[in-house]
């Protein structure tokens, strides 16, 4: 019952009466708090985020595609402009000059450039840069396209290790790195007219160019770098020869006057001539950057070939003026060698001066006749034996004029059987004879004149006067013929005296005047004595001839006084 009473006393929570009105909250519960509804993120906020992501991606791509920064040193800032000067290769942009400044010592221009990513792997030790601008030179005109497009920097890729600092070339290279061919080195004592871009010829065809040159501080020789283009690089062998072609070559020596030219381009820039002998003398193909000697001319290159040379020493009587090293040695007009040296030697033992002349016989020059003996090539012993046999047959050496204009001389060998060697040739390995050229004739004439000058001219003139007096006193006698013969002899002596006159010309002219005067006086006396003779019908004619002869002496003396050179050249 108690439980029921408690249950009845408990309010019924499920009955409607037990719930208080809605506007009256229960006294035992706290009041409810109203919360605002949650807002969702607007899609418009995604746009800045996307923009940031895109900007970051573009920046990353820009950094990724951006190439390295390099430094190029120029000698001058001509044509360089920051932000505008482009770096190109085959007219394709590879970078741009970002800044241009002077070096600390103000001697150079330092340009900072930004390269493309594609060019990064080509920035090596062998990479070259140079400024492309309009250039006018002896080799032609280049860079005309920059007149419209503007100056730019050309890049030529190379090999080697990576590099970021470069020295620009002062001039564009003559040969680009991508041109097929091979390079060689030439050594010479003088550069001459060679310059960068000078042509290299082979049989008149241009096969290459001169790339550059430098002076060696060790041996002070000039090293010339040349490039031979493909497919002509195979023409260069170990036995090849190079010589200088300076446009026009003019030489006057013992072998005559020579005039030679290659082309108008070689006239302006000079040039190099390549020659390769036939196999097997040519040898194997030359390696890249092989070294050769650059000779002055073709004759020097030909003389430098490896061939047998047999040297002899000659000594000629008299002067050797006009004979120089390199002069040809002739055998009956054909070249068989060259003069090696001409020098003055003092013999202390004999206290004498003498001039030995060293010559080189070259058997290869007469290979068609004397190259093989008993099926074997000739050596030095065989050549000396052959020359000794020819000497026994009369082979003699003499000096001869090679060029009358320049006075150059040469050595000539010919056969003179029975002619002994000249005196004083004991030092000569081969017999020599006196020269027969104009200089030797003049020397002989001088000797003759010295001998004539020692003769008593007064006695000669007295004989002439006596002869003329005999003509006057012995007219009609048998002695007249002998007197006329004596007169003819005297006149012949005077004529010989006139032909050989050189240094005694003034004295000779004076003597001739005296002869003419005496002859005229004598003839006048003779005419007075003999003019009336009836039995001597032919004497007046003889006297007239003698009178004409005397007058001719006077005319000749006057002419020689005005023209002494007529003794050598004759009357014009």
């Amino acid at each position: 019952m108690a439980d029921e009473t408690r249950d009845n006393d408990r309010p019924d929570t499920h009955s409607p009466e037990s719930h208080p009105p809605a506007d009256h909250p229960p006294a035992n519960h706290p009041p409810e708090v109203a919360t605002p509804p949650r807002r969702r993120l607007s899609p418009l906020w995604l746009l800045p985020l996307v923009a940031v992501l895109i900007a970051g991606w573009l920046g990353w791509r820009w950094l990724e595609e951006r190439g390295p920064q390099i430094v190029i040193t120029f000698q001058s800032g001509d044509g360089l402009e920051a932000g505008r000067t482009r770096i190109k290769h085959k007219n394709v942009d590879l970078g741009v000059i970002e800044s241009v400044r002077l070096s600390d010592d103000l001697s150079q221009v330092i340009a900072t450039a930004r390269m493309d990513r594609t060019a990064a792997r080509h920035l090596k030790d062998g990479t070259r840069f140079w400024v492309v601008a309009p250039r006018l030179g002896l080799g032609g005109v280049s860079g005309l396209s920059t007149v419209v497009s503007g100056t730019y920097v050309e890049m030529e890729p190379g090999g080697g290790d990576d590099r970021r600092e470069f020295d620009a070339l002062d001039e564009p290279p003559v040969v680009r790195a991508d041109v097929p061919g091979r390079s060689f080195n030439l050594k010479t004592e003088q550069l001459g007219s060679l310059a960068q871009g000078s042509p290299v010829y082979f049989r008149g065809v241009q096969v290459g160019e001169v790339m550059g040159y430098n002076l060696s501080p060790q041996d002070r020789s000039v090293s010339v770098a040349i490039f031979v283009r493909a497919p002509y690089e195979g023409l260069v062998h170990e036995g090849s020869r190079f010589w200088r072609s300076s446009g026009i070559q003019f030489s006057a020596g013992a072998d005559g006057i020579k005039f030679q030219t290659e082309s108008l381009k070689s006239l302006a820039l000079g040039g190099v001539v390549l020659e390769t002998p036939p196999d097997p003398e040519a040898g194997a193909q030359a390696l890249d950057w092989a070294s050769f000697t650059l000779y002055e001319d073709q004759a020097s290159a030909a003389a430098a070939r490896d061939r047998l040379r047999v040297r002899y020493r000659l000594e000629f009587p008299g002067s050797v003026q006009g004979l120089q090293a390199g002069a040809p040695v002739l055998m009956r007009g054909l070249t068989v060698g060259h003069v090696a040296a001409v020098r003055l030697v003092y013999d202390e033992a004999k206290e004498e001066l003498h001039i030995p002349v060293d010559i080189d016989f070259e058997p290869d020059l007469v290979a068609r006749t004397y190259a093989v003996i008993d099926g074997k090539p000739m050596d030095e012993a065989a050549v000396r034996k052959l020359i000794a046999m020819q000497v026994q047959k009369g082979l003699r050496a003499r000096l001869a004029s090679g060029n009358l204009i320049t006075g150059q001389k040469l050595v000539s060998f010919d056969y003179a059987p029975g002619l002994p060697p000249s005196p004083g040739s004991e030092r000569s390995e081969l017999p020599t004879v006196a020269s027969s050229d104009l200089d030797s004739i003049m020397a002989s004439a001088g000797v003759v004149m010295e001998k004539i000058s020692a003769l008593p001219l007064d006695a000669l003139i007295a004989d002439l006067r006596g002869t003329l007096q005999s003509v006057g006193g012995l007219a009609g006698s048998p002695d007249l013929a002998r007197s006329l013969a004596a007169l003819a002899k005297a006149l012949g002596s005077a004529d010989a005296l006139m032909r050989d006159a050189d240094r005694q010309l003034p004295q000779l002219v004076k003597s001739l005047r005296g002869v003419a005067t005496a002859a005229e006086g004598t003839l006048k006396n003779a005419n007075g004595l003999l003019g009336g003779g009836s039995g001597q019908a032919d004497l007046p004619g003889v006297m007239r001839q003698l009178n004409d002869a005397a007058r001719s002496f006077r005319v000749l003396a006057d002419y020689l006084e005005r023209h002494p050179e007529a003794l050598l050249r004759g009357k014009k």
Side-chain angles (χ1 to χ4, degrees), residues 445-455 503-504:
V447 174
V448 172
M449 289 303 303
E450 289 179 358
K451 294 181 180 179
I452 292 177
S453 62
L455 295 176
R503 288 176 294 180
Q504 302 294 333

Side-chain angles (χ1 to χ4, degrees), residues 70-89:
I70 63 174
V71 176
I72 307 175
T73 302
F74 297 87
Q75 296 299 322
S76 175
D78 293 341
L80 300 180
E81 188 175 353
R84 298 189 59 180
T85 304
R86 310 296 300 180
I87 298 178
K88 299 181 180 182
H89 176 64

Side-chain angles (χ1 to χ4, degrees), residues 252-255 297 299-300 303 311 320-329 337-343 355-360 399 408-411:
D255 50 355
D297 48 34
S300 300
R311 178 159 297 186
V320 294
Q321 181 180 2
L323 185 64
Q324 299 178 355
V329 175
H338 294 85
V339 175
V342 180
R343 60 187 182 275
I355 306 175
V357 177
D358 294 336
I359 64 171
D360 287 334
L399 290 179
Q408 300 291 327
K409 290 186 178 180
L410 50 81
V411 178

Side-chain angles (χ1 to χ4, degrees), residues 284-493:
Q285 285 193 3
L287 301 177
D288 197 15
W289 287 110
S291 183
F292 295 89
T293 300
L294 178 62
Y295 297 96
E296 290 298 321
D297 48 34
Q298 185 177 6
S300 300
R305 290 180 179 174
D306 296 333
R307 60 176 61 174
L308 177 61
R309 293 180 176 86
V310 181
R311 178 159 297 186
Y312 285 91
R313 174 169 294 183
L314 307 179
E315 185 163 338
F316 297 95
S319 174
V320 294
Q321 181 180 2
L323 185 64
Q324 299 178 355
V329 175
L330 304 182
M331 175 80 72
R332 289 191 169 182
L334 298 180
T335 302
V336 294
H338 294 85
V339 175
V342 180
R343 60 187 182 275
L344 184 65
V345 177
Y346 176 66
D347 189 348
E348 295 183 356
K350 297 183 180 181
E351 297 181 351
E352 295 177 354
L353 288 171
H354 57 98
I355 306 175
V357 177
D358 294 336
I359 64 171
D360 287 334
F361 273 108
E362 301 177 20
D364 292 343
L365 297 178
V366 287
R368 295 182 179 178
T369 305
Y370 300 111
V372 178
I373 296 179
D374 297 333
K376 298 180 180 180
M378 294 187 67
D379 54 7
E380 182 174 351
V383 173
R384 292 189 179 276
K385 181 179 179 181
L386 176 63
I387 296 297
M389 293 173 57
Q390 302 304 313
V391 169
Q392 295 298 325
K393 295 181 180 180
L395 185 66
R396 300 293 184 266
R398 72 172 70 237
L399 290 179
S401 293
N403 194 310
L404 293 176
I405 298 177
T406 62
Q408 300 291 327
K409 290 186 178 180
L410 50 81
V411 178
S412 177
F413 281 88
D414 208 336
Y415 292 91
L419 183 63
S422 297
S425 62
E426 66 275 1
R427 300 187 185 92
S428 180
E429 296 181 11
L430 296 178
T432 60
V433 294
S435 177
S436 59
D437 57 1
L438 181 60
D439 294 339
S440 299
I441 295 175
M442 291 297 299
S444 300
V447 174
V448 172
M449 289 303 303
E450 289 179 358
K451 294 181 180 179
I452 292 177
S453 62
L455 295 176
L457 294 178
D458 295 338
L460 181 61
I461 296 173
D463 292 340
L464 180 59
R465 289 177 177 176
T467 302
L468 293 176
Q469 291 175 359
S470 299
V471 172
L474 299 176
S477 67
D479 297 333
L480 179 60
R482 292 193 296 272
S483 299
L484 293 177
L487 176 62
K489 182 178 180 181
L491 293 177
S493 300

Side-chain angles (χ1 to χ4, degrees), residues 1-9:
M1 289 296 292
D3 294 334
E4 292 179 357
T5 303
R6 287 193 295 267
D7 293 336
N8 293 329
D9 295 340

